[in-house]
Amino acid sequence: MAAGCMAAALLGGCGSLQKGQAETPQFPEQESLPKEHADEEVDRYLAEMEKLSGAAGELAQAGQDLAELCDADPENVEEMEARVEQMRQLKQAFVDFSAMEEAPEAFSEAHEKMAEAAGDYGALIDTYCDVLVASIRGEEHPDREQIRTEWEEQSLAIALAMEEVQKAAGHFSP
């Protein structure tokens, strides 16, 4: 049963975002709002990115914890399933971000990519969790063979999208 448990992939590049992180600004000056409103809008957006990054970290940790439980106590199916359901709940941060309609103008292009990647990743979390539960129960799941590849692809897509947002955040260096 332990062999059936897969650990969540770490999302590379999903560390903390701060203003001024990127070295090369790539977006024009934001002039549509007074500066204090623009700064507030950027701060709110970066706070949403932090939530997303935190959820990604929690998901990765939950996957590692599940793998450790599988190794330590492979007969504890009930606890394993409970942990998978906790992982499933973390998808909400990705779903919420993907539904975000407004982003500061300087983030608009990066946000479009990030929202799409977050939505795709959120949807994949459900399938991933379904595969985990089936594996824990010793059952077959039709997506079992391709889930690892899909997980790696979506993890890369979200990491690259996060990088685009980080570059946009560099535009707002103090």
Short mmCIF file of all heavy atoms in Angstrom, two decimals, residues 118-153:
data_model
loop_
_atom_site.label_atom_id
_atom_site.label_comp_id
_atom_site.label_asym_id
_atom_site.label_seq_id
_atom_site.Cartn_x
_atom_site.Cartn_y
_atom_site.Cartn_z
N ALA A 118 -3.24 28.24 -12.21
CA ALA A 118 -3.83 27.94 -10.91
C ALA A 118 -5.13 27.15 -11.06
O ALA A 118 -5.38 26.19 -10.32
CB ALA A 118 -4.08 29.22 -10.12
N GLY A 119 -5.95 27.52 -12.03
CA GLY A 119 -7.19 26.79 -12.27
C GLY A 119 -6.95 25.36 -12.70
O GLY A 119 -7.59 24.43 -12.20
N ASP A 120 -6.00 25.19 -13.61
CA ASP A 120 -5.66 23.84 -14.08
C ASP A 120 -5.09 23.00 -12.93
O ASP A 120 -5.41 21.82 -12.79
CB ASP A 120 -4.64 23.90 -15.22
CG ASP A 120 -5.22 24.48 -16.50
OD1 ASP A 120 -6.46 24.61 -16.61
OD2 ASP A 120 -4.42 24.81 -17.40
N TYR A 121 -4.27 23.62 -12.12
CA TYR A 121 -3.66 22.91 -11.00
C TYR A 121 -4.72 22.53 -9.97
O TYR A 121 -4.72 21.42 -9.44
CB TYR A 121 -2.58 23.79 -10.36
CG TYR A 121 -1.61 23.04 -9.50
CD1 TYR A 121 -0.64 22.22 -10.06
CD2 TYR A 121 -1.65 23.15 -8.12
CE1 TYR A 121 0.26 21.53 -9.27
CE2 TYR A 121 -0.75 22.46 -7.33
CZ TYR A 121 0.21 21.66 -7.90
OH TYR A 121 1.09 20.97 -7.12
N GLY A 122 -5.63 23.46 -9.68
CA GLY A 122 -6.71 23.17 -8.75
C GLY A 122 -7.55 21.99 -9.21
O GLY A 122 -7.91 21.11 -8.42
N ALA A 123 -7.85 21.95 -10.50
CA ALA A 123 -8.63 20.83 -11.04
C ALA A 123 -7.84 19.52 -10.95
O ALA A 123 -8.42 18.47 -10.66
CB ALA A 123 -9.01 21.11 -12.49
N LEU A 124 -6.56 19.59 -11.17
CA LEU A 124 -5.73 18.38 -11.12
C LEU A 124 -5.62 17.84 -9.70
O LEU A 124 -5.47 16.63 -9.51
CB LEU A 124 -4.34 18.65 -11.70
CG LEU A 124 -3.43 17.45 -11.84
CD1 LEU A 124 -4.05 16.40 -12.77
CD2 LEU A 124 -2.06 17.87 -12.34
N ILE A 125 -5.70 18.71 -8.70
CA ILE A 125 -5.62 18.26 -7.31
C ILE A 125 -6.70 17.24 -7.03
O ILE A 125 -6.45 16.23 -6.35
CB ILE A 125 -5.66 19.45 -6.33
CG1 ILE A 125 -4.35 20.25 -6.44
CG2 ILE A 125 -5.90 18.98 -4.90
CD1 ILE A 125 -4.36 21.56 -5.67
N ASP A 126 -7.91 17.46 -7.53
CA ASP A 126 -8.99 16.49 -7.33
C ASP A 126 -8.62 15.13 -7.91
O ASP A 126 -8.79 14.10 -7.24
CB ASP A 126 -10.30 16.98 -7.97
CG ASP A 126 -11.13 17.79 -7.01
OD1 ASP A 126 -11.06 17.56 -5.79
OD2 ASP A 126 -11.88 18.65 -7.49
N THR A 127 -8.16 15.11 -9.14
CA THR A 127 -7.79 13.84 -9.78
C THR A 127 -6.65 13.18 -9.02
O THR A 127 -6.66 11.98 -8.77
CB THR A 127 -7.39 14.07 -11.25
OG1 THR A 127 -8.47 14.71 -11.93
CG2 THR A 127 -7.04 12.77 -11.95
N TYR A 128 -5.67 13.98 -8.65
CA TYR A 128 -4.52 13.48 -7.89
C TYR A 128 -4.98 12.81 -6.59
O TYR A 128 -4.57 11.69 -6.27
CB TYR A 128 -3.58 14.65 -7.60
CG TYR A 128 -2.34 14.29 -6.83
CD1 TYR A 128 -1.31 13.57 -7.43
CD2 TYR A 128 -2.17 14.71 -5.52
CE1 TYR A 128 -0.16 13.27 -6.73
CE2 TYR A 128 -1.02 14.41 -4.81
CZ TYR A 128 -0.02 13.69 -5.41
OH TYR A 128 1.13 13.39 -4.72
N CYS A 129 -5.88 13.47 -5.88
CA CYS A 129 -6.40 12.92 -4.63
C CYS A 129 -7.22 11.66 -4.87
O CYS A 129 -7.15 10.70 -4.09
CB CYS A 129 -7.20 13.97 -3.87
SG CYS A 129 -6.14 15.29 -3.18
N ASP A 130 -7.99 11.64 -5.95
CA ASP A 130 -8.75 10.44 -6.29
C ASP A 130 -7.81 9.25 -6.55
O ASP A 130 -8.09 8.13 -6.12
CB ASP A 130 -9.62 10.67 -7.53
CG ASP A 130 -10.76 11.64 -7.29
OD1 ASP A 130 -11.09 11.92 -6.11
OD2 ASP A 130 -11.33 12.13 -8.29
N VAL A 131 -6.73 9.51 -7.25
CA VAL A 131 -5.75 8.46 -7.53
C VAL A 131 -5.10 7.99 -6.22
O VAL A 131 -4.91 6.78 -6.01
CB VAL A 131 -4.68 8.95 -8.54
CG1 VAL A 131 -3.52 7.95 -8.64
CG2 VAL A 131 -5.30 9.18 -9.91
N LEU A 132 -4.78 8.94 -5.34
CA LEU A 132 -4.19 8.56 -4.06
C LEU A 132 -5.13 7.67 -3.25
O LEU A 132 -4.72 6.64 -2.71
CB LEU A 132 -3.84 9.81 -3.24
CG LEU A 132 -2.62 10.60 -3.69
CD1 LEU A 132 -2.50 11.88 -2.88
CD2 LEU A 132 -1.35 9.78 -3.57
N VAL A 133 -6.39 8.07 -3.16
CA VAL A 133 -7.37 7.28 -2.40
C VAL A 133 -7.50 5.88 -3.00
O VAL A 133 -7.50 4.88 -2.26
CB VAL A 133 -8.74 7.99 -2.32
CG1 VAL A 133 -9.82 7.07 -1.79
CG2 VAL A 133 -8.64 9.24 -1.46
N ALA A 134 -7.59 5.78 -4.30
CA ALA A 134 -7.67 4.47 -4.95
C ALA A 134 -6.44 3.63 -4.63
O ALA A 134 -6.55 2.44 -4.32
CB ALA A 134 -7.84 4.63 -6.46
N SER A 135 -5.27 4.26 -4.68
CA SER A 135 -4.02 3.54 -4.37
C SER A 135 -4.01 3.06 -2.93
O SER A 135 -3.60 1.92 -2.64
CB SER A 135 -2.82 4.44 -4.62
OG SER A 135 -2.70 4.75 -5.98
N ILE A 136 -4.44 3.91 -2.03
CA ILE A 136 -4.49 3.55 -0.61
C ILE A 136 -5.40 2.34 -0.39
O ILE A 136 -5.10 1.45 0.39
CB ILE A 136 -4.95 4.76 0.24
CG1 ILE A 136 -3.85 5.82 0.26
CG2 ILE A 136 -5.35 4.34 1.65
CD1 ILE A 136 -4.30 7.19 0.78
N ARG A 137 -6.50 2.32 -1.12
CA ARG A 137 -7.47 1.22 -0.99
C ARG A 137 -7.08 -0.02 -1.79
O ARG A 137 -7.77 -1.03 -1.77
CB ARG A 137 -8.85 1.69 -1.46
CG ARG A 137 -9.44 2.75 -0.56
CD ARG A 137 -10.75 3.24 -1.10
NE ARG A 137 -11.31 4.26 -0.22
CZ ARG A 137 -12.34 5.02 -0.53
NH1 ARG A 137 -12.95 4.87 -1.71
NH2 ARG A 137 -12.78 5.92 0.31
N GLY A 138 -5.99 0.08 -2.55
CA GLY A 138 -5.56 -1.04 -3.37
C GLY A 138 -6.39 -1.19 -4.62
O GLY A 138 -6.44 -2.28 -5.22
N GLU A 139 -7.01 -0.11 -5.07
CA GLU A 139 -7.86 -0.14 -6.26
C GLU A 139 -7.14 0.51 -7.44
O GLU A 139 -6.21 1.30 -7.27
CB GLU A 139 -9.17 0.63 -5.98
CG GLU A 139 -9.97 0.08 -4.82
CD GLU A 139 -11.09 1.00 -4.39
OE1 GLU A 139 -11.22 2.13 -4.91
OE2 GLU A 139 -11.85 0.59 -3.49
N GLU A 140 -7.61 0.19 -8.61
CA GLU A 140 -7.09 0.83 -9.82
C GLU A 140 -7.86 2.12 -10.07
O GLU A 140 -9.03 2.22 -9.75
CB GLU A 140 -7.25 -0.10 -11.03
CG GLU A 140 -6.28 -1.25 -11.06
CD GLU A 140 -4.83 -0.79 -11.17
OE1 GLU A 140 -4.53 0.11 -12.00
OE2 GLU A 140 -4.00 -1.32 -10.41
N HIS A 141 -7.19 3.08 -10.65
CA HIS A 141 -7.82 4.33 -11.06
C HIS A 141 -7.40 4.57 -12.51
O HIS A 141 -6.23 4.42 -12.85
CB HIS A 141 -7.38 5.49 -10.16
CG HIS A 141 -8.16 6.74 -10.37
ND1 HIS A 141 -7.94 7.57 -11.44
CD2 HIS A 141 -9.19 7.28 -9.67
CE1 HIS A 141 -8.79 8.58 -11.38
NE2 HIS A 141 -9.55 8.44 -10.31
N PRO A 142 -8.34 4.99 -13.37
CA PRO A 142 -8.00 5.15 -14.79
C PRO A 142 -6.92 6.20 -15.07
O PRO A 142 -6.24 6.12 -16.09
CB PRO A 142 -9.33 5.57 -15.44
CG PRO A 142 -10.22 5.97 -14.32
CD PRO A 142 -9.73 5.28 -13.09
N ASP A 143 -6.70 7.12 -14.15
CA ASP A 143 -5.69 8.17 -14.36
C ASP A 143 -4.36 7.86 -13.68
O ASP A 143 -3.45 8.69 -13.71
CB ASP A 143 -6.22 9.52 -13.86
CG ASP A 143 -7.41 10.01 -14.66
OD1 ASP A 143 -7.40 9.82 -15.90
OD2 ASP A 143 -8.33 10.57 -14.06
N ARG A 144 -4.25 6.69 -13.09
CA ARG A 144 -3.06 6.37 -12.30
C ARG A 144 -1.76 6.45 -13.10
O ARG A 144 -0.77 6.98 -12.62
CB ARG A 144 -3.19 4.98 -11.69
CG ARG A 144 -2.05 4.66 -10.74
CD ARG A 144 -2.34 3.42 -9.93
NE ARG A 144 -1.43 3.33 -8.81
CZ ARG A 144 -0.40 2.53 -8.79
NH1 ARG A 144 -0.15 1.73 -9.79
NH2 ARG A 144 0.39 2.51 -7.74
N GLU A 145 -1.78 5.94 -14.31
CA GLU A 145 -0.55 5.90 -15.10
C GLU A 145 -0.05 7.28 -15.52
O GLU A 145 1.14 7.53 -15.54
CB GLU A 145 -0.73 5.01 -16.33
CG GLU A 145 -0.94 3.55 -16.00
CD GLU A 145 0.20 2.96 -15.19
OE1 GLU A 145 1.38 3.21 -15.51
OE2 GLU A 145 -0.08 2.22 -14.21
N GLN A 146 -0.97 8.19 -15.85
CA GLN A 146 -0.53 9.48 -16.36
C GLN A 146 -0.51 10.58 -15.30
O GLN A 146 -0.04 11.68 -15.58
CB GLN A 146 -1.37 9.92 -17.56
CG GLN A 146 -2.75 10.42 -17.22
CD GLN A 146 -3.83 9.39 -17.47
OE1 GLN A 146 -3.56 8.21 -17.68
NE2 GLN A 146 -5.06 9.83 -17.42
N ILE A 147 -0.97 10.32 -14.08
CA ILE A 147 -1.08 11.39 -13.09
C ILE A 147 0.27 11.99 -12.73
O ILE A 147 0.39 13.20 -12.57
CB ILE A 147 -1.85 10.94 -11.81
CG1 ILE A 147 -2.22 12.16 -10.95
CG2 ILE A 147 -1.03 9.95 -11.00
CD1 ILE A 147 -3.23 13.07 -11.56
N ARG A 148 1.28 11.18 -12.63
CA ARG A 148 2.60 11.71 -12.27
C ARG A 148 3.10 12.69 -13.33
O ARG A 148 3.58 13.78 -13.02
CB ARG A 148 3.60 10.58 -12.09
CG ARG A 148 4.95 11.08 -11.59
CD ARG A 148 5.76 9.98 -11.08
NE ARG A 148 5.09 9.54 -9.86
CZ ARG A 148 5.62 8.77 -8.96
NH1 ARG A 148 6.82 8.31 -9.11
NH2 ARG A 148 4.96 8.42 -7.88
N THR A 149 2.94 12.33 -14.61
CA THR A 149 3.35 13.22 -15.69
C THR A 149 2.53 14.50 -15.68
O THR A 149 3.09 15.60 -15.81
CB THR A 149 3.21 12.51 -17.05
OG1 THR A 149 4.02 11.33 -17.04
CG2 THR A 149 3.63 13.41 -18.20
N GLU A 150 1.23 14.37 -15.53
CA GLU A 150 0.36 15.55 -15.48
C GLU A 150 0.71 16.44 -14.29
O GLU A 150 0.73 17.67 -14.41
CB GLU A 150 -1.11 15.14 -15.41
CG GLU A 150 -1.64 14.56 -16.69
CD GLU A 150 -3.10 14.13 -16.57
OE1 GLU A 150 -3.85 14.77 -15.80
OE2 GLU A 150 -3.48 13.16 -17.24
N TRP A 151 1.00 15.83 -13.16
CA TRP A 151 1.35 16.59 -11.96
C TRP A 151 2.64 17.37 -12.19
O TRP A 151 2.73 18.55 -11.85
CB TRP A 151 1.49 15.62 -10.78
CG TRP A 151 1.61 16.31 -9.46
CD1 TRP A 151 2.75 16.55 -8.75
CD2 TRP A 151 0.54 16.87 -8.69
NE1 TRP A 151 2.46 17.21 -7.60
CE2 TRP A 151 1.11 17.41 -7.53
CE3 TRP A 151 -0.83 16.95 -8.87
CZ2 TRP A 151 0.35 18.04 -6.55
CZ3 TRP A 151 -1.59 17.57 -7.90
CH2 TRP A 151 -1.01 18.11 -6.75
N GLU A 152 3.63 16.72 -12.78
CA GLU A 152 4.89 17.40 -13.07
C GLU A 152 4.69 18.54 -14.07
O GLU A 152 5.25 19.63 -13.90
CB GLU A 152 5.92 16.40 -13.59
CG GLU A 152 6.41 15.43 -12.53
CD GLU A 152 7.24 14.30 -13.09
OE1 GLU A 152 7.49 14.25 -14.32
OE2 GLU A 152 7.65 13.44 -12.29
N GLU A 153 3.89 18.31 -15.10
CA GLU A 153 3.63 19.34 -16.10
C GLU A 153 2.91 20.54 -15.49
O GLU A 153 3.26 21.69 -15.75
CB GLU A 153 2.80 18.78 -17.26
CG GLU A 153 3.57 17.83 -18.15
CD GLU A 153 2.70 17.09 -19.16
OE1 GLU A 153 1.45 17.29 -19.16
OE2 GLU A 153 3.25 16.32 -19.96
#
